[in-house]
Amino acid sequence: GAVVSQHPSWVICKSGTSVKIECRSLDFQATTMFWYRQFPKQSLMLMATSNEGSKATYEQGVEKDKFLINHASLTLSTLTVTSAHPEDSSFYICSARDSRTSGAPWETQYFGPGTRLLVL
Amino acid sequence: ILNVEQSPQSLHVQEGDSTNFTCSFPSSNFYALHWYRWETAKSPEALFVMTLNGDEKKKGRISATLNTKEGYSYLYIKGSQPEDSATYLCAPSSNSNSGYALNFGKGTSLLVTP
């Protein structure tokens, strides 16, 4: 149980285009999903927290107009990288927390397999 | 954002060897510590969640300990097998604008060769 899928697994695009990444919880409902980014040889860094039916909360230094997050259902959150540039090339990975949990710090986040984005 | 250090950065052992690695984190305002195992091209898999000082958790040949007063956790693998090859991530929780967030270290990459 607790499977999270992500699509696409990799994408190459031209500079200036927008790219949408989907994160789905397959066998549970997720009121809250998280989006992380990992640059080479760096740690996973939280970009934003996505809450179903409300606006996402972005971490400091993450441009909300650049990284649009939509969490329209209890099983789907999308991250759109708008007008992507080469510096946006990175590994993007999402996680989800089961809606039945309380959001306590010991609750497990279930991760997708990630999306590698290359902007030319 | 918490400063989380993991060491060593990478490790290469022979099948059957036992190994351990370290996760260091700020000891103040501790909430919980998560360990994940991440194989290439797969999703990170939750191993343990630890909350209490002195906690020890075990899952098969893998175990972990926690010292919240000095801010470290050890992960042990007994009798390593090639299928243990993965990156092991630790992530203490912290309070953020959006609730409790995970703060990841860079991970320890383990390679076990037959």
Side-chain angles (χ1 to χ4, degrees):
Chain A
V3 178
V4 176
S5 70
Q6 221 174 303
H7 178 80
S9 55
W10 58 270
V11 57
I12 301 173
C13 69
K14 292 183 179 178
S15 186
T17 60
S18 294
V19 174
K20 181 187 280 188
I21 302 169
E22 292 186 350
C23 177
R24 292 182 186 272
S25 56
L26 298 186
D27 49 2
F28 65 100
Q29 293 185 329
T31 309
T32 304
M33 292 184 171
F34 305 87
W35 287 96
Y36 296 81
R37 179 169 55 181
Q38 184 182 38
F39 291 108
K41 300 191 186 299
Q42 300 300 311
S43 58
L44 293 173
M45 292 294 292
L46 181 65
M47 297 175 67
T49 301
S50 165
N51 294 295
E52 187 267 337
S54 64
K55 288 184 180 179
T57 305
Y58 291 81
E59 296 301 303
Q60 197 170 8
V62 178
E63 299 174 57
K64 61 182 179 182
D65 295 330
K66 173 101 179 142
F67 299 98
L68 300 179
I69 291 173
N70 185 282
H71 193 156
S73 80
L74 287 172
T75 58
L76 174 64
S77 175
T78 60
L79 169 70
T80 301
V81 184
T82 62
S83 187
H85 288 96
E87 58 266 29
D88 299 321
S89 298
S90 188
F91 183 77
Y92 294 86
I93 190 168
C94 69
S95 69
R97 195 169 58 210
D98 194 312
S99 295
R100 294 170 295 181
T101 62
S102 61
W106 49 82
E107 301 291 0
T108 297
Q109 289 183 24
Y110 300 98
F111 281 83
T115 297
R116 190 160 299 282
L117 170 64
L118 177 60
V119 185
L120 302 176
Chain B
I1 297 176
L2 301 181
N3 183 28
V4 182
E5 299 285 339
Q6 287 190 249
S7 63
Q9 192 173 5
S10 63
L11 199 52
H12 180 188
V13 302
Q14 295 295 311
E15 182 176 357
D17 289 349
S18 293
T19 186
N20 66 85
F21 11 99
T22 307
C23 171
S24 300
F25 51 87
S27 57
S28 58
N29 297 320
F30 176 82
Y31 296 100
L33 180 86
H34 298 250
W35 278 101
Y36 283 85
R37 179 174 176 274
W38 194 4
E39 288 184 69
T40 303
K42 294 187 177 180
S43 302
E45 172 197 355
L47 282 176
F48 304 113
V49 180
M50 310 181 80
T51 55
L52 298 175
N53 184 46
D55 246 358
E56 183 167 346
K57 297 267 175 105
K58 191 173 180 182
K59 189 176 183 178
R61 294 179 291 97
I62 305 176
S63 60
T65 60
L66 178 67
N67 183 321
T68 60
K69 295 187 177 182
E70 296 182 42
Y72 64 83
S73 176
Y74 293 139
L75 190 80
Y76 301 91
I77 302 179
K78 186 177 177 182
S80 303
Q81 299 296 308
E83 57 265 31
D84 296 328
S85 299
T87 296
Y88 292 82
L89 301 173
C90 74
S93 300
S94 67
N95 208 345
S96 73
N97 294 337
S98 52
Y100 292 103
L102 296 182
N103 301 264
F104 283 91
K106 292 182 182 180
T108 292
S109 177
L110 173 67
L111 176 64
V112 183
T113 50

